[in-house]
Amino acid sequence: MTDLARSLRSRLEESACISAPEVVSDSTSADGTRKWLLDVGLGNAIETVFIPEVDRGTLCVSSQAGCAMNCLFCSTGRQGFNRNLTTAEIIGQLWWAEHALRAQRRITAENERVISNVVLMGMGEPLQNLDALLPALRLMLDDNAYGLSRRRVTVSTSGLVQQIDKLATACPVALAVSLHAPNDTLRDRLVPLNRKHPLRELMAACRRYLRHAPRDFITFEYVMLDGVNDSMAQARDLVALVRDVSCKFNLIPFNPFPGSGLARSPSGRIAEFAQVLIDAGIVTTTRRVRGEDIDAACGQLAGEVQDRTRRARRCDAQLPPVVAAAGS
Ligand code: SAH
Ligand code: SF4
């Protein structure tokens, strides 16, 4: 970088280093979805997934090695938490994917971008790693870096209320909230964080976020679990729950993983559930399952985080009563 002043170059030499993420594996699905497993040291790996579509290219980025939230239906959560990723490790996923995809497509034009959207929906709870996330988000938005629109960068959270407020003022981007249940009794079981921040608090945080958000709606994600959260009565309760929040729904067919003890709702039931929301005037989409043949679908982003908590075993022990109660 001889165009930089010599003094700045020597300061950089002392305080910074440039290193690319180390790629453990690189696989491409029959539907074009591409997944990289990246080494983050001490036997841990994280995953980054690129999902090509006709009108956009979306990169699904990880924010932590593992996750402490322990949601019942999530294989990342089942492995426990290892550590927060650094800003470099978060933005490094975008850097790496953009380079790899440009090479694959033989793109040389500087201003032509392959990745148009970024979603923080990989491994981890992004708002639990806000200190590293915020500088990474700013680089995604900065015209001198990636120049993505705020509307095309989405942070997905399981519902950390204070951090939603912080994101609203520090770096408002599109927000997705993982809802998964229409009432506290069920959500307490599916998303344990709900015991700390119940739905009333979460809905209030969503309303506050909307005053800052680059989009005029919150996206609610709702994983469709057979016999657990997919009845028509639950769909109607959901409509009542979100009546004061401008929102869209994204229904996610559950991606089963060994030992989950849960099953995906049949597609007919997902369609009926969606119809209840649509009839109430809520824009509702059902996520297409992508990259299943390379385990790149939602909730399968397990990487190779070492389970130092032995949580997987504890969870399995809890499963039967939890599912039975949730389904009743
Ligand atoms: N921790 C954040 C973002 C990462 S998870 C969050 O929970 O929002 C991204 C999305 O995948 C969330 O909506 C999550 O609930 C969903 N998900 C997790 N496990 C899943 C599974 N097995 N099948 C389908 N969706 C799943
Ligand atoms: Fe963590 Fe999100 Fe998985 Fe819950 S769904 S365990 S918050 S990654």
Side-chain angles (χ1 to χ4, degrees):
M1 290 192 283
T2 46
D3 51 344
L4 298 183
R6 191 188 296 267
S7 59
L8 176 57
R9 271 185 278 157
S10 60
R11 249 199 304 144
L12 285 173
E13 209 165 319
E14 282 161 23
S15 61
C17 71
I18 301 176
S19 64
E22 202 169 308
V23 180
V24 181
S25 72
D26 176 349
S27 31
T28 304
S29 158
D31 65 20
T33 302
R34 189 163 167 191
K35 179 177 86 169
W36 296 272
L37 193 63
L38 305 175
D39 181 25
V40 290
L42 299 174
N44 295 301
I46 51 146
E47 294 182 343
T48 306
V49 176
F50 176 69
I51 306 147
E53 284 171 281
V54 179
D55 56 342
R56 67 188 135 177
T58 303
L59 191 72
C60 181
V61 167
S62 294
S63 55
Q64 298 180 312
C67 183
M69 296 299 162
N70 198 15
C71 299
L72 187 69
F73 48 82
C74 175
S75 76
T76 303
R78 289 293 187 91
Q79 297 179 59
F81 174 67
N82 191 273
R83 70 167 173 88
N84 280 327
L85 298 187
T86 63
T87 298
E89 287 167 332
I90 298 172
I91 201 71
Q93 296 170 65
L94 176 53
W95 180 87
W96 171 258
E98 184 70 34
H99 274 253
L101 292 163
R102 287 168 72 87
Q104 181 189 23
R105 297 171 183 210
R106 296 198 173 82
I107 295 173
T108 49
E110 282 275 336
N111 56 359
E112 196 182 331
R113 287 280 156 86
V114 185
I115 295 164
S116 60
N117 295 53
V118 172
V119 293
L120 269 297
M121 291 186 187
M123 296 172 71
E125 168 50 56
L127 293 190
Q128 218 188 19
N129 187 14
L130 207 52
D131 287 348
L133 178 71
L134 287 173
L137 290 177
R138 291 189 184 116
L139 284 171
M140 291 175 197
L141 304 178
D142 193 325
D143 284 339
N144 289 317
Y146 287 92
L148 294 172
S149 140
R150 279 178 196 282
R151 301 154 62 89
R152 289 173 175 267
V153 175
T154 302
V155 169
S156 173
T157 179
S158 55
L160 283 164
V161 163
Q162 282 97 353
Q163 285 85 340
I164 291 176
D165 286 335
K166 280 194 189 149
L167 184 70
T169 50
C171 190
V173 291
L175 185 70
V177 171
S178 293
L179 203 51
H180 308 315
N183 59 58
D184 284 322
T185 313
L186 181 56
R187 196 164 191 271
D188 280 354
R189 294 172 195 279
L190 298 180
V191 184
L193 176 67
N194 197 69
R195 297 169 200 161
K196 197 166 163 208
H197 297 298
L199 284 166
R200 193 176 42 79
E201 268 185 45
L202 182 57
M203 291 301 118
C206 289
R207 282 194 295 275
R208 288 194 297 276
Y209 194 85
L210 281 167
R211 291 186 217 133
H212 304 263
R215 289 183 176 270
D216 57 2
F217 60 87
I218 304 281
T219 302
F220 287 125
E221 296 163 279
Y222 196 95
V223 62
M224 298 300 295
L225 299 165
D226 188 17
V228 176
N229 65 355
D230 62 351
S231 74
M232 297 309 110
Q234 284 162 322
R236 287 190 292 273
D237 288 350
L238 211 47
V239 170
L241 175 72
V242 303
R243 66 177 171 265
D244 297 334
V245 184
S246 168
C247 64
K248 289 187 180 175
F249 264 82
N250 192 359
L251 305 181
I252 314 174
F254 171 62
N255 279 302
F257 54 92
S260 74
L262 298 161
R264 179 183 296 175
S265 307
S267 53
R269 184 138 9 100
I270 298 179
E272 284 166 18
F273 194 94
Q275 200 56 51
V276 174
L277 302 180
I278 292 165
D279 290 345
I282 303 172
V283 173
T284 304
T285 50
T286 301
R287 191 175 293 174
R288 254 192 324 138
V289 177
R290 300 286 304 257
E292 249 187 334
D293 53 337
I294 55 165
D295 285 353
C298 245
Q300 289 180 351
L301 301 187
E304 289 183 356
V305 179
Q306 292 180 356
D307 182 4
R308 300 210 168 87
T309 66
R310 311 217 182 287
R311 178 176 283 158
R313 227 169 293 158
R314 288 208 311 270
C315 271
D316 284 346
Q318 278 170 13
L319 259 177
V322 170
V323 175
S328 62

